[in-house]
Amino acid sequence: MNEIILLKLGELVLKGLNRRSFEDKLQANIYRRLNRFGRFRVYTRQSTTYVEPMDGSCDMDGAWQALTKVFGIVGLSRARACGKDKDAILAAARDYLDGKLSAARTFKVETKRADKSFPMTSIQLSQYVGGELDELYPNLQVDVHHPELTVHVEIRDYAAFVHADPEPGAGGLPVGINGRAVSLLSGGIDSPVASYLIARRGVALEMVHFFSYPYTSPEAKEKVLQLARLLTPYCGGLTVHVVPFTAIQEQLRRACPPELFTLIMRRFMMRIAQQVALRTGAGALVTGECLGQVASQTMQAMAVTGQATQLPILRPVVGMDKEDIVQLARKIGTFETSILPYEDCCTVFTPRHPRLRPTLEEIQQAEQVLDIEGMVRAAVEGIERVHISP
């Protein structure tokens, strides 16, 4: 029988009557990710999803790497399927795991018997396979508490499966099961991490980037598009809505008090992002704001900027330490791109002494001289949409 990939599900198994919708969404996401690696059959039985190649041309290594980044999966194993017979299981274990068995010093066999009609109990089958392997490999000793290698045997409906220790998956919930949101993607470290975390909770994303040419360079824009590309293995295909922001920033610089510039600018970002959300069917905005990190991220400042939109604002990194955010950025592969020395629009016209504890009244008073509706409309009409595939 062919090699197969077994996927262990996480939170999905705790769902009630709507569990099937979660499983269907996960399977749809898996099919999309595997499309370029060949034809696979994907099905779920007894809290395990099976990814079975339909022919020998399938790229199992590519499929494996893609599946490690699919949200909704907590563990992955490449397994050998065999007949539900103790000797067939032993032969599969010896053949499929020979390299691991020859390299290890201690091991144990762990059996799960989902098919209760199998004539041996889980303990009996583990003892049989473990005893035979111990005889066949002189380098091995049984250690049931802290083994270097665990040989897993699973007796399921259609076959038995043999595999070594599973590797961790991406966890979370299938992308799209919890709706759609618009994520404000800058060129910094925080916003890609925030996008990753909210996608991990099952949210499909539209990206918005504010581009202030010539104050920010084409290289800065390309940097953001590269960040989006790095997120697609986790989030799936993305559309980056590139907003022309220069005219708004220049108007704010002329008409608004310098100490309020950043806050009013961020309020415009929220208004424009809300318009993108309305056009794309999104129900929330996502930002990389982290409490107290900069002047515009105090509680008072976030309250003022949040008031500019009627949509909920999701801030997944708001309580994280910077070092924790950096570590996660390294893990998902965005850190090295984020630290490239290209400025984003938030660094343009930055005031020397920004207001730390603004009030809504003073912000609204400063905005009275602005044609807010017209400025937002012009920016939205000038949006460039860049579609990025995984």
Side-chain angles (χ1 to χ4, degrees):
M1 288 188 179
N2 288 331
E3 184 180 42
I4 194 170
I5 301 176
L6 305 180
L7 309 177
K8 303 300 182 181
L9 310 185
E11 293 181 52
L12 277 66
V13 302
L14 304 177
K15 303 302 177 184
L17 297 177
N18 63 345
R19 174 174 168 176
R20 181 61 181 271
S21 63
F22 282 79
E23 292 178 348
D24 289 346
K25 177 61 72 173
L26 176 60
Q27 286 194 26
N29 291 348
I30 289 171
Y31 271 120
R32 279 194 293 270
R33 302 295 179 85
L34 295 182
N35 184 55
R36 61 195 175 110
F37 300 110
R39 294 175 59 247
F40 292 85
R41 180 186 175 212
V42 181
Y43 54 97
T44 300
R45 301 286 188 277
Q46 298 171 317
S47 301
T48 297
T49 293
Y50 300 77
V51 178
E52 182 178 348
M54 300 297 289
D55 54 58
S57 66
C58 292
D59 178 2
M60 291 294 286
D61 292 335
W64 173 267
Q65 290 300 321
L67 291 171
T68 61
K69 296 178 174 63
V70 174
F71 292 132
I73 300 168
V74 298
L76 307 88
S77 301
R78 291 176 74 155
R80 171 68 60 82
C82 62
K84 293 193 288 185
D85 171 81
K86 67 175 185 177
D87 293 322
I89 293 168
L90 174 62
R94 182 181 181 183
D95 178 55
Y96 187 60
L97 301 177
D98 180 68
K100 294 180 183 294
L101 291 165
S102 299
R105 291 173 297 178
T106 59
F107 84 112
K108 73 172 181 178
V109 177
E110 191 172 285
T111 301
K112 292 183 179 180
R113 191 173 58 108
D115 179 4
K116 302 304 181 184
S117 67
F118 189 77
M120 301 173 72
T121 66
S122 298
I123 293 176
Q124 288 172 338
L125 183 57
S126 293
Q127 289 175 337
Y128 170 74
V129 174
E132 293 297 319
L133 292 177
D134 188 45
E135 291 289 331
L136 290 167
Y137 292 89
N139 56 294
L140 288 177
Q141 289 187 343
V142 175
D143 183 347
V144 297
H145 298 294
H146 304 289
E148 285 185 31
L149 173 68
T150 300
V151 176
H152 293 267
V153 177
E154 301 189 30
I155 312 296
R156 295 191 170 271
D157 289 348
Y158 305 116
F161 300 92
V162 175
H163 60 91
D165 295 305
E167 293 191 17
L173 296 172
V175 169
I177 196 66
N178 279 328
R180 183 173 295 274
V182 170
S183 183
L184 281 67
L185 184 65
S186 71
I189 298 171
D190 300 342
S191 60
V193 171
S195 300
Y196 164 88
L197 288 173
I198 211 65
R200 195 169 185 259
R201 297 309 304 160
V203 178
L205 294 176
E206 299 280 336
M207 299 299 194
V208 170
H209 175 64
F210 296 90
F211 184 50
S212 296
Y213 183 82
Y215 303 107
T216 56
S217 65
E219 289 80 8
K221 173 183 170 182
E222 178 56 34
K223 170 185 172 180
V224 170
L225 296 179
Q226 177 61 16
L227 288 172
R229 294 185 191 101
L230 294 171
L231 290 170
T232 57
Y234 300 98
C235 304
L238 295 170
T239 297
V240 182
H241 303 257
V242 182
V243 179
F245 208 51
T246 307
I248 288 178
Q249 287 190 297
E250 290 178 337
Q251 178 67 12
L252 298 185
R253 187 187 187 192
R254 289 191 297 265
C256 297
E259 67 273 13
L260 301 180
F261 172 86
T262 302
L263 294 169
I264 297 175
M265 177 189 71
R266 291 189 64 80
R267 283 167 62 84
F268 271 90
M269 290 179 173
M270 297 299 173
R271 294 181 180 113
I272 294 167
Q274 178 173 264
Q275 292 303 309
V276 174
L278 293 174
R279 295 185 176 199
T280 58
L285 308 182
V286 182
T287 74
E289 292 168 295
C290 181
L291 186 62
Q293 183 167 247
V294 293
S296 62
Q297 295 177 15
T298 63
M299 280 194 289
Q300 295 89 339
M302 286 192 283
V304 165
T305 55
Q307 189 274 340
T309 177
Q310 292 157 352
L311 294 177
I313 301 175
L314 308 178
R315 300 178 172 98
V317 302
V318 69
M320 295 176 65
D321 289 341
K322 189 66 176 185
E323 183 57 33
D324 295 332
I325 299 173
V326 167
Q327 288 180 6
L328 190 47
R330 291 184 186 277
K331 174 184 174 182
I332 65 177
T334 58
F335 178 76
E336 296 300 330
T337 300
S338 291
I339 62 174
L340 292 174
Y342 303 118
E343 294 184 332
D344 61 39
C345 71
C346 293
T347 61
V348 176
F349 309 140
T350 303
R352 292 184 62 186
H353 302 290
R355 187 66 55 85
L356 296 176
R357 295 174 179 82
T359 64
L360 181 58
E361 291 73 18
E362 67 178 328
I363 295 292
Q364 290 176 331
Q365 183 177 359
E367 290 179 338
Q368 287 180 0
V369 300
L370 302 171
D371 177 14
I372 294 174
E373 184 176 339
M375 294 165 70
V376 170
R377 185 189 314 114
V380 172
E381 290 175 353
I383 285 176
E384 173 194 3
R385 294 170 180 85
V386 182
H387 302 284
I388 299 177
S389 300

